[in-house]
Amino acid sequence: MRKSLNSWLLKAIGPRIIGILMILSGVVLNKYSIAWMLSPDVSIKNSTLLTIIFAGQAVLILAGLWFMLRRYRYQWPLVVHGLLIIGCATATVLGTYTTSLYWGWIQPPIRDLAEIGDWLRASNNSFLGTAGIKKLSREVKKVDRADKLVRVKRGLSTQLLRHGRVAEGIEHLESAYKLAVSKNMPSNLINDLRFKLGVAYIRSGEVDHCIKMHNPASCLFPLEKGGVWANPNGALKAAEYFNEYLRALPGDPGARWLLNLAYMASGNYPDGLSPDLLIPMSVNELDYGGRRFRDIAPDVGLDTFNLVGGAIMDDFDNDGFLDIITSTYDPHEPMLYYHNDGDGTFSDWSARANLTAQLGGFNLVQADYNNDGLLDILVLRGAWCGRKHGRQRNSLLRQNPDGTFTDVTKASGLGKTAYPCLAAAWADYDKDGDLDIYIGNEYLPCELFRNNGDGTFTDVARRAGVRNMANTKGVTWGDYDNDGDADLYVSNLGQPNRLYRNNGDGTFTDVAKELGVSLDDSLNRRTFAAWFWDVDNDGWLDLFVGGYPKGKVGIFAADYLGMPTSGERLRLFRNDGTGHFIDVTKKMNLYHIQWPMGANYGDIDNDGFLDCYLGTGAPGFDYLVPNAMYRNIGGTRFANITTATGVGHLQKGHAIAFGDLDRDGDQDIFAQMGGWYPADGFHNALFENPGNSNHWITIKLIGAQSNRSAIGAQIKLVVDTEANERLIYRVVGSGGSFGASSLQQEIGIGTADHIKMLEVYWPASDTRQRFNDVPVDQSIEIIEGKEVYRVLEYKPIQFVKPNIQLDVLKDD
């Protein structure tokens, strides 16, 4: 009886279970679930691969039907039934799970902010985790083959350096190098160890001098005067290894670049270098008539030491002085609020504002999302940590009338997901008078949260057609076609970029490829920071896209020297006045290799044309390249004035914010410094603008029918010059896609001594305000719909006077 029952189960029920599971597998192993498992951008566009997937689905479904409908005469072995059932069940569960993730039907658990730090530290996360050190430390003790021991030690040294154990890392590298040489191992391995040893010794010197003995000249390119190391041993040792490397591989631009930096740090540049290895320090720079900026952060208490993070420069307490709020990638460290006291000093208001519980934060963006007259903050987290470790929730912080902030993420509807992200931008895309937010996520659906007007948001990204599903690194809004509503540009690392044209009905159409700004056909399709701006003051928004090339420091050095090299460059697309774009990168002298992650723009010389400052950064310790300042020459070209202005910081620069902190009419620059690894923190910088003779006006706009922050409002100035009448345009926003400048518009007007006409266009109400004969060199407030502007009685303040410490940067 039992035997016949088993036989019946095997012949009848078993195959039907297999058939059902095969059919289910065929349904759920679709292009969505397979893309989630296999594709970096969670998207499959290759027609051949799509055909294979559809064919596989058809085979599984037909096979399932065959199993269900066929009558069996023979008894199948139990093991075959079991394996088929297990296999099909696994495929069904996996396909169902990944499809559900793709469409957002399920969400993994969201961890509390206090838990994230310890969770990441104990993990194998490539940036913050320590599991790699433990694993490789065990392997070092067990390895019995010399070649494998060298490779394990090399990997262990990398992990140790990332976590600040520099001496141990160098010790393992030195022993690996000696072993590799003694065993006559492959030359490429030996040269790699030489290069890594050179980088490790430079890092050792940076810790001893740039960090422990920090001064305003520390790590400013070129290293001279106060930037030269007091103890040159680390630099000399690095130079020794780079020289050995270059004898084996002559002409390598990356090693040559770092060798020059090592000689600078030791005080032996340029005389100590042979002519064939010397790199002149102003290859790409043009003359600049202005004075040098000065890093005054140490003098005013803003040189906080931390990792990469976000930064906002704006007036949070409405006292007329711009404050600074920063975050750090370190999930154990809180946000910091530096209140501008109006007397040349800052006070730490972090605890007072209830921000100490806000741990971590890769980027920050500000806006008055509830139109109560107080700036609120969105904190972004999880970037670079992948789908697993990047599940760190964002925070929407509502400012209260008493100056404190309340985390309303969950109550607002923004807390339902936790995707890795670093880019977001505010805009009133539907022109209903309140601000919506687009959040660009990495490898996961991007989110467009529509403001419901009651303090809550609804994600409408799918309905609007802007989910993107790529490795998003930059987000910016701008009305590129001048039709009155905000359009959206999304910069993706490794995938085509998107330009979503606002259709005016709540939906968007991707026209990036059509308008030539997708970079789909570019060399590597690797871009990061992006923004709309009007570089030539013609009233049409142009587009900047920062190339973020894949490769070592050598590609930067090669480009710096004018050598042929590969890698994505900076890109500038000029709007031709019809809503189409022309690539003018080469024509405007921006076709260069940089790594601009944190970047923003402003007018540093008050000539009325927008300049930009690029905070360069990449994870490796060999990426010692200066942050870059580009000056806009009359809307016709850009000049690299990095060295001339004294802002070429060699440490990793990220969130960049422009604003007139001392109310003297010119824009200062705050740079959140530091890298990704726990050992790659650095002191933040505040570059004080030395001033100029040009005139200016600061305009604070307050929306009434439009959003109160006035984000998206357009300003047009008409001024008379000696030559002719001139137009200057601005759009209210916080600037670039990593770092947030002040929302008040600080506009240079060159030599004009008055403003003939000032016009403000409010898109939500579709109205214009005009004011004639406005005096210059003052700050004013304009409220939407009011016929008269208010003069703000702002007086300049003095932060610091040059002292002995700052004199190391004085002009020659």
Side-chain angles (χ1 to χ4, degrees):
M1 179 69 179
R2 182 177 296 176
K3 184 175 181 181
S4 61
L5 179 60
N6 288 341
S7 176
W8 181 80
L9 288 172
L10 289 171
K11 288 182 179 180
I13 298 180
R16 282 159 179 75
I17 292 175
I18 295 172
I20 292 171
L21 290 174
M22 277 189 169
I23 293 172
L24 289 174
S25 298
V27 172
V28 298
L29 287 176
N30 48 47
K31 64 178 182 179
Y32 305 112
S33 61
I34 292 175
W36 187 279
M37 291 183 276
L38 301 180
S39 175
D41 64 348
V42 200
S43 176
I44 296 175
K45 300 181 177 65
N46 183 278
S47 58
T48 302
L49 184 54
L50 286 171
T51 301
I52 293 172
I53 292 172
F54 293 146
Q57 288 184 270
V59 168
L60 282 170
I61 292 171
L62 291 172
L65 291 171
W66 185 85
F67 270 100
M68 290 185 66
L69 300 176
R70 184 175 174 83
R71 296 186 61 181
Y72 298 95
R73 299 180 180 179
Y74 304 103
Q75 180 174 307
W76 284 28
L78 183 61
V79 66
V80 174
H81 279 257
L83 290 174
L84 283 172
I85 289 174
I86 291 171
C88 292
T90 301
T92 301
V93 171
L94 186 60
T96 303
Y97 176 71
T98 51
T99 299
S100 300
L101 284 174
Y102 181 95
W103 288 107
W105 298 332
I106 60 173
Q107 291 293 333
I110 299 176
R111 294 176 181 268
D112 186 79
L113 295 182
E115 302 173 334
I116 293 173
D118 292 338
W119 171 57
L120 288 175
R121 181 172 290 172
S123 73
N124 61 354
N125 176 265
S126 58
F127 293 112
L128 300 172
T130 58
I133 292 178
K134 296 176 181 178
K135 177 184 176 183
L136 293 171
S137 296
R138 291 192 298 267
E139 286 189 32
V140 163
K141 298 175 183 178
K142 298 177 182 179
V143 174
D144 54 2
R145 279 174 38 203
D147 59 337
K148 187 173 181 181
L149 180 61
V150 167
R151 287 175 169 81
V152 172
K153 279 180 168 287
R154 180 178 61 176
L156 177 58
S157 69
T158 299
Q159 294 288 331
L160 291 169
L161 285 169
R162 291 175 178 177
H163 288 269
R165 296 160 65 174
V166 180
E168 294 176 69
I170 290 176
E171 182 181 350
H172 281 288
L173 270 179
E174 289 278 16
S175 64
Y177 176 66
K178 291 174 183 176
L179 181 58
V181 171
S182 67
K183 297 293 185 181
N184 197 26
M185 292 185 184
S187 59
N188 62 335
L189 176 61
I190 292 173
N191 286 327
D192 182 65
L193 291 168
R194 287 172 177 151
F195 189 89
K196 283 182 164 52
L197 276 163
V199 172
Y201 275 109
I202 283 185
R203 183 61 190 169
S204 175
E206 287 179 297
V207 172
D208 291 339
H209 298 87
C210 299
I211 294 176
K212 294 181 180 178
M213 301 170 61
H214 179 62
N215 69 70
S218 296
C219 283
L220 284 184
F221 177 83
L223 299 174
E224 55 186 2
K225 301 177 182 177
V228 175
W229 296 353
N231 182 350
N233 289 339
L236 293 173
K237 195 69 177 174
E240 176 185 325
Y241 279 109
F242 287 131
N243 272 315
E244 288 184 20
Y245 182 93
L246 286 166
R247 279 192 287 271
L249 293 172
D252 180 272
R256 184 180 168 192
W257 172 265
L258 293 173
L259 176 67
N260 277 254
L261 292 183
Y263 272 75
M264 284 184 197
S266 66
N268 293 317
Y269 177 91
D271 298 335
L273 279 160
S274 60
D276 61 314
L277 294 176
L278 177 66
I279 294 180
M281 290 298 107
S282 298
V283 171
N284 293 323
E285 295 218 0
L286 299 180
D287 291 335
Y288 170 63
R291 294 177 293 161
R292 291 168 67 93
F293 284 63
R294 301 178 187 274
D295 180 8
I296 63 170
D299 297 88
V300 297
L302 288 175
D303 63 333
T304 303
F305 186 87
N306 48 30
L307 301 182
V308 53
I312 303 171
M313 186 189 298
D314 217 321
D315 183 6
F316 280 89
D317 59 343
N318 291 325
D319 65 350
F321 294 97
L322 301 182
D323 312 299
I324 292 177
I325 293 182
T326 69
S327 65
T328 173
Y329 190 52
D330 188 337
H332 288 99
E333 295 296 322
M335 291 174 58
L336 295 172
Y337 179 173
Y338 297 102
H339 176 260
N340 188 337
D341 295 332
D343 59 1
T345 64
F346 289 82
S347 296
D348 186 347
W349 277 23
S350 309
R352 175 174 173 174
N354 193 33
L355 291 176
T356 53
Q358 291 298 321
L359 304 176
F362 204 53
N363 199 3
L364 306 172
V365 284
Q366 86 277 25
D368 181 3
Y369 80 89
N370 55 356
N371 288 333
D372 65 351
L374 300 169
L375 285 176
D376 313 296
I377 303 171
L378 179 65
V379 187
L380 307 175
R381 297 186 176 91
W384 294 98
C385 286
R387 297 173 188 166
K388 178 182 178 182
H389 297 124
R391 298 283 182 157
Q392 304 169 33
R393 75 168 177 86
N394 300 326
S395 293
L396 178 61
L397 306 178
R398 184 194 65 213
Q399 188 177 180
N400 305 311
D402 62 358
T404 62
F405 288 86
T406 299
D407 190 333
V408 295
T409 315
K410 187 174 181 180
S412 68
L414 297 185
K416 296 178 181 178
T417 59
Y419 296 150
C421 66
L422 58 75
W426 296 93
D428 182 9
Y429 81 91
D430 53 0
K431 300 199 297 185
D432 63 352
D434 49 37
L435 287 169
D436 316 296
I437 183 74
Y438 185 82
I439 300 179
N441 297 312
E442 296 176 334
Y443 304 118
L444 291 147
C446 294
E447 297 159 300
L448 174 57
F449 287 102
R450 183 181 180 275
N451 195 326
N452 299 321
D454 59 359
T456 67
F457 294 81
T458 301
D459 183 10
V460 296
R462 184 182 299 161
R463 186 172 69 217
V466 293
R467 298 183 80 211
N468 190 37
M469 300 299 292
N471 189 5
T472 306
K473 298 298 181 186
V475 172
T476 182
W477 292 92
D479 183 10
Y480 81 90
D481 51 2
N482 276 343
D483 66 350
D485 50 34
D487 310 295
L488 175 67
Y489 189 78
V490 182
S491 173
N492 298 315
L493 190 68
Q495 297 93 36
N497 294 346
R498 318 276 192 186
L499 175 52
Y500 292 110
R501 184 188 63 215
N502 192 331
N503 298 324
D505 59 0
T507 67
F508 294 77
T509 300
D510 181 12
V511 294
K513 193 172 184 65
E514 172 189 338
L515 299 185
V517 293
S518 69
L519 278 77
D520 192 19
D521 300 323
S522 66
L523 189 62
N524 294 308
R525 297 190 311 190
R526 292 179 58 86
T527 63
F528 215 109
W531 58 71
F532 286 109
W533 58 345
D534 189 350
V535 296
D536 50 4
N537 279 319
D538 66 349
W540 291 83
L541 288 178
D542 312 299
L543 178 64
F544 172 89
V545 187
Y548 197 82
K550 185 176 183 179
K552 296 295 184 182
V553 69
I555 62 173
F556 167 84
D559 177 75
Y560 188 91
L561 290 166
M563 299 167 58
T565 186
S566 61
E568 190 64 69
R569 272 106 166 144
L570 307 178
R571 294 298 186 97
L572 179 62
F573 299 95
R574 186 177 68 82
N575 195 320
D576 67 359
T578 67
H580 293 78
F581 292 91
I582 302 169
D583 189 340
V584 295
T585 313
K586 292 181 180 178
K587 178 181 177 181
M588 298 193 72
N589 193 37
L590 282 175
Y591 195 66
H592 291 291
I593 296 283
Q594 300 282 356
W595 282 284
M597 181 175 148
N600 217 321
Y601 60 86
D603 183 2
I604 64 166
D605 51 4
N606 282 341
D607 66 350
F609 291 96
L610 291 170
D611 317 297
C612 64
Y613 184 57
L614 311 180
T616 58
F621 287 118
D622 60 319
Y623 286 82
L624 284 169
V625 300
N627 297 337
M629 178 79 84
Y630 285 92
R631 182 186 176 215
N632 187 341
I633 310 297
T636 61
R637 61 189 173 91
F638 283 84
N640 187 333
I641 57 171
T642 303
T643 301
T645 50
V647 296
H649 215 300
L650 284 168
Q651 292 298 316
K652 297 175 177 67
H654 293 286
I656 306 297
F658 284 73
D660 186 6
L661 280 168
D662 48 4
R663 302 203 308 198
D664 62 353
D666 52 41
Q667 290 186 310
D668 311 297
I669 302 174
F670 181 83
Q672 171 82 4
M673 310 299 292
W676 289 263
Y677 300 123
D680 205 9
F682 202 77
H683 301 270
N684 296 330
L686 173 60
F687 293 107
E688 183 185 21
N689 194 318
N692 54 76
S693 60
N694 287 326
H695 295 291
W696 55 274
I697 188 167
T698 295
I699 304 173
K700 181 178 181 180
L701 296 182
I702 299 178
Q705 184 175 338
S706 304
N707 71 88
R708 189 176 177 110
S709 295
I711 290 175
Q714 301 170 16
I715 299 172
K716 174 183 175 181
L717 304 181
V718 181
V719 299
D720 283 324
T721 67
E722 293 180 0
N724 50 30
E725 186 178 84
R726 180 183 167 196
L727 305 180
I728 300 172
Y729 293 88
R730 292 291 184 273
V731 178
V732 178
S734 58
S737 55
F738 203 112
S741 299
S742 165
L743 294 176
Q744 69 179 24
Q745 294 303 292
E746 299 145 353
I747 307 174
I749 57 175
T751 58
D753 57 7
H754 79 287
I755 299 169
K756 188 175 180 180
M757 192 270 287
L758 187 162
E759 179 184 273
V760 181
Y761 172 65
W762 301 88
S765 60
D766 193 25
T767 59
R768 298 179 188 272
Q769 290 171 276
R770 293 184 177 90
F771 307 92
N772 297 318
D773 296 319
V774 179
V776 299
D777 299 337
Q778 65 170 343
S779 299
I780 64 174
E781 178 184 270
I782 298 175
I783 298 176
E784 182 180 11
K786 291 203 171 183
E787 296 182 358
V788 180
Y789 63 80
R790 181 168 73 97
V791 176
L792 302 172
E793 300 298 335
Y794 287 169
K795 296 184 182 301
I797 59 177
Q798 179 75 43
F799 276 132
V800 294
K801 294 181 179 180
N803 52 38
I804 295 175
Q805 188 181 37
L806 288 176
D807 280 345
V808 298
L809 295 175
K810 67 182 180 182
D811 299 326
D812 293 329

